[in-house]
Amino acid sequence: MMFCMLRVCALYLLALLLSTACGFAQEASGLAGTTPLRVQGDLSAQMVSGIDKHLAKLTAESVAGRAKFWKRDLGSAAAYENSIQPNREHLRAMIGAVDPRVTNSVLEYVSTAARSAKVAETERYLVYAVRWEVLDDVHGEGLLLQPKQAIAAKVVVLPDADQTPEMLAGLAPGISPESQFARVLANNNCAVLVPTLISRADTWSGSEKLKRFTNQPHREWIYRQAYEMGRHIIGYEVEKVSAALDALSRFGGGSLPMGVAGYGEGGLIAFYAAALDNRVQSALVSGYFGSREQLWQEPIYRNVFGLLREFGDAEIASLIAPRALIVEHSEAPRISGPPPPRAGRSGAAPGKISTPDVNVVETELVRAKELAKGFGERFQVISGNEGRTVGPGALFSLQNFLAGLGIVKIQKDMPSAALAEAADASVTEERQKRQVQELVEHTQRLLRSCERVREEFVWQRLKTASVAEYEKSILSLKQEFWDDVIGRVPGPGSP
């Protein structure tokens, strides 16, 4: 046995030497029809430059290429809704908003022996700390602003990732009074639910057990874990909004209109939530809307695999038609990168957020109206004189948003003295930590179930009675993989 192994090894080495010698001989004489490569400079840099040009070309061409993914039926509102449903479901899969939500989610008051659930009270509304179930192991948390008079509408209002619900409600410093639109809406008899978004801080990005951390923002920390599981920080938070609408629908009685509004990262989540959930009758998107052809420059946690092949902001907006969409051209959060690297913390991806020119915003919304034809009549951009930014949460923007919910008058107000110094910073920190840890643990549970899921999805479905049946089952699985991961319209190389 040993002799045979030595003989095989000797033959392998001889073959390797012969092939190497032949290679030298061919290099010396050259292969027919070829010439030596004599490119000067850094070949790796030239390769990267070539790939960059190729991808930039594909990105530019993607806008015109999206039409083949859509089969809009403009015959009626119902026909239009049915025709765009496949695109809606594909967007849902892209952002990973696919886990089944808890079906009976209700608002729960959050209190301890030392702290009441009631955070503040004004002459017009009460403020409570609340939570609601989203998935079996994931909750949304935030504030409920409950009017004392009859509720006119129910609204989910989303702050930017670096803002807290308390800021948006006027309970903590950080947002100017005129932009505290959660409070303004509550003063206009809206039941307002303000969720906590995963922040851009890096406090809990890492393992306390291993004492190893990174400067990745919390959003990136979760994104990186979720991405390979077909999940996404965007999808998780969209599901929190949909679950919030579930809970609001059971709160306060009556079949009342519902809307979503958000700023910055909250504007992104409000935008996607409105596109995917047709219970949203009016959407206000502030500090987020425009062309996405430069998405690669934005923070990595906004990256969605394959998005631009089928969706830009105009295409996503067309999923909201014929409902109301108010795009407020406000200054976006100024993000120049992740938290700075420091001792024991590094590894975050670069990425910046900047405010697009008003012409870019208006052009993209015009394109959305053209895609939706007559069903986009309730789309509008709110901006200042000569293209200046407004808001976030400018009174005129809120007027149009509430008009989409059937509320024709809006009461201008100022913050109540009863709201001053009502927030406890330690409470918001604890809540953020819980929100981060729940999503990390949920994603890790998905990872632990992978082997069982693959067994059900792949191995149990293979037919082995004959070669023909086996090949047929393999082709079926390949097509499903193509549809789910690559795209619904086959291209070159598809099975």
Side-chain angles (χ1 to χ4, degrees), residues 16-30:
L16 183 62
L17 289 170
L18 288 172
S19 64
T20 303
C22 290
F24 287 147
Q26 288 173 344
E27 184 176 345
S29 61

Side-chain angles (χ1 to χ4, degrees), residues 299-466:
I300 193 171
Y301 48 79
R302 287 185 171 185
N303 178 54
V304 177
F305 181 78
L307 181 73
L308 295 183
R309 295 180 69 238
E310 186 172 347
F311 299 99
D313 280 4
E315 284 77 15
I316 294 173
S318 75
L319 295 174
I320 299 175
R323 295 166 286 142
L325 171 62
I326 316 303
V327 174
E328 183 181 61
H329 179 53
S330 64
E331 185 174 347
R334 297 181 181 180
I335 304 299
S336 58
R342 52 206 186 275
R345 287 185 182 265
S346 61
K352 61 183 180 180
I353 297 175
S354 57
T355 304
D357 187 82
V358 68
N359 293 328
V360 174
V361 177
E362 291 176 340
T363 298
E364 191 72 5
L365 199 67
V366 167
R367 200 166 69 82
K369 288 183 176 182
E370 291 173 349
L371 292 172
K373 303 301 181 185
F375 299 116
E377 292 178 349
R378 301 172 71 194
F379 293 175
Q380 57 180 310
V381 173
I382 307 295
S383 63
N385 294 331
E386 299 180 353
R388 293 188 178 91
T389 57
V390 296
L395 194 64
F396 186 62
S397 304
L398 296 178
Q399 284 176 331
N400 285 273
F401 169 67
L402 288 177
L405 297 173
I407 301 172
V408 295
K409 291 182 67 177
I410 184 169
Q411 175 178 316
K412 186 176 181 180
D413 68 327
M414 290 299 291
S416 168
L419 296 178
E421 303 299 328
D424 183 341
S426 66
V427 172
T428 60
E429 285 293 299
E430 291 168 6
R431 186 179 59 205
Q432 179 69 209
K433 183 178 182 180
R434 285 194 301 271
Q435 291 285 281
V436 171
Q437 289 180 336
E438 278 192 352
L439 290 182
V440 168
E441 182 55 31
H442 174 75
T443 305
Q444 294 304 313
R445 285 193 182 110
L446 291 175
L447 180 62
R448 291 192 290 270
S449 70
C450 278
E451 187 173 351
R452 174 183 56 78
V453 173
R454 287 195 296 268
E455 173 70 22
E456 294 173 358
F457 180 73
V458 179
W459 306 117
Q460 290 183 10
R461 295 172 58 189
L462 289 179
K463 309 297 183 182
T464 58
S466 67

Side-chain angles (χ1 to χ4, degrees), residues 24 46 48-49 60 70 93 110 117 156 184 201 243 337 373 389 413 443 446 491:
F24 287 147
Q46 293 176 47
V48 170
S49 176
W70 297 78
V110 178
V156 177
V184 177
K373 303 301 181 185
T389 57
D413 68 327
T443 305
L446 291 175

Side-chain angles (χ1 to χ4, degrees), residues 124-395:
R124 296 187 63 84
Y125 60 88
L126 300 149
V127 184
Y128 294 99
V130 294
R131 73 171 194 167
W132 57 99
E133 286 187 290
V134 182
L135 310 174
D136 288 338
D137 52 359
V138 174
H139 296 80
E141 286 195 64
L143 297 180
L144 171 67
L145 283 63
Q146 179 180 342
K148 292 181 176 179
Q149 299 182 16
I151 297 173
K154 300 174 182 180
V155 180
V156 177
V157 174
L158 297 136
D160 178 53
D162 288 337
Q163 299 171 343
T164 65
E166 286 76 9
M167 292 178 186
L168 206 54
L171 297 169
I175 299 178
S176 62
E178 59 271 18
S179 292
Q180 295 166 1
F181 54 99
R183 178 185 53 75
V184 177
L185 291 170
N187 269 316
N188 283 272
N189 298 324
C190 293
V192 180
L193 186 54
V194 191
T196 299
L197 262 63
I198 300 300
S199 77
R200 299 188 189 94
D202 63 2
T203 312
W204 296 289
S205 296
S207 170
E208 292 182 350
K209 183 178 180 180
L210 299 176
K211 306 300 182 186
R212 295 186 64 181
F213 293 89
T214 173
N215 69 322
Q216 294 170 15
H218 294 146
R219 301 188 72 79
E220 181 180 343
W221 174 242
I222 292 170
Y223 160 86
R224 287 179 177 273
Q225 298 171 56
Y227 192 81
E228 63 190 27
M229 304 305 302
R231 306 303 193 273
H232 203 292
I233 181 62
I234 294 174
Y236 284 150
E237 293 194 322
V238 166
E239 292 217 88
K240 288 187 179 184
V241 173
S242 289
L245 293 172
D246 294 340
L248 276 178
S249 69
R250 299 181 177 92
F251 173 79
S255 179
L256 295 171
M258 295 197 291
V260 295
Y263 167 68
E265 220 64 36
L268 182 161
I269 302 302
F271 184 44
Y272 278 72
L276 295 181
D277 196 325
N278 55 19
R279 293 176 298 177
V280 174
Q281 294 172 244
S282 184
L284 170 61
V285 177
S286 179
Y288 178 88
F289 191 85
S291 167
R292 291 294 147 213
E293 278 63 74
Q294 299 301 311
L295 180 60
W296 58 274
Q297 294 186 2
E298 298 179 40
I300 193 171
Y301 48 79
R302 287 185 171 185
N303 178 54
V304 177
F305 181 78
L307 181 73
L308 295 183
R309 295 180 69 238
E310 186 172 347
F311 299 99
D313 280 4
E315 284 77 15
I316 294 173
S318 75
L319 295 174
I320 299 175
R323 295 166 286 142
L325 171 62
I326 316 303
V327 174
E328 183 181 61
H329 179 53
S330 64
E331 185 174 347
R334 297 181 181 180
I335 304 299
S336 58
R342 52 206 186 275
R345 287 185 182 265
S346 61
K352 61 183 180 180
I353 297 175
S354 57
T355 304
D357 187 82
V358 68
N359 293 328
V360 174
V361 177
E362 291 176 340
T363 298
E364 191 72 5
L365 199 67
V366 167
R367 200 166 69 82
K369 288 183 176 182
E370 291 173 349
L371 292 172
K373 303 301 181 185
F375 299 116
E377 292 178 349
R378 301 172 71 194
F379 293 175
Q380 57 180 310
V381 173
I382 307 295
S383 63
N385 294 331
E386 299 180 353
R388 293 188 178 91
T389 57
V390 296
L395 194 64

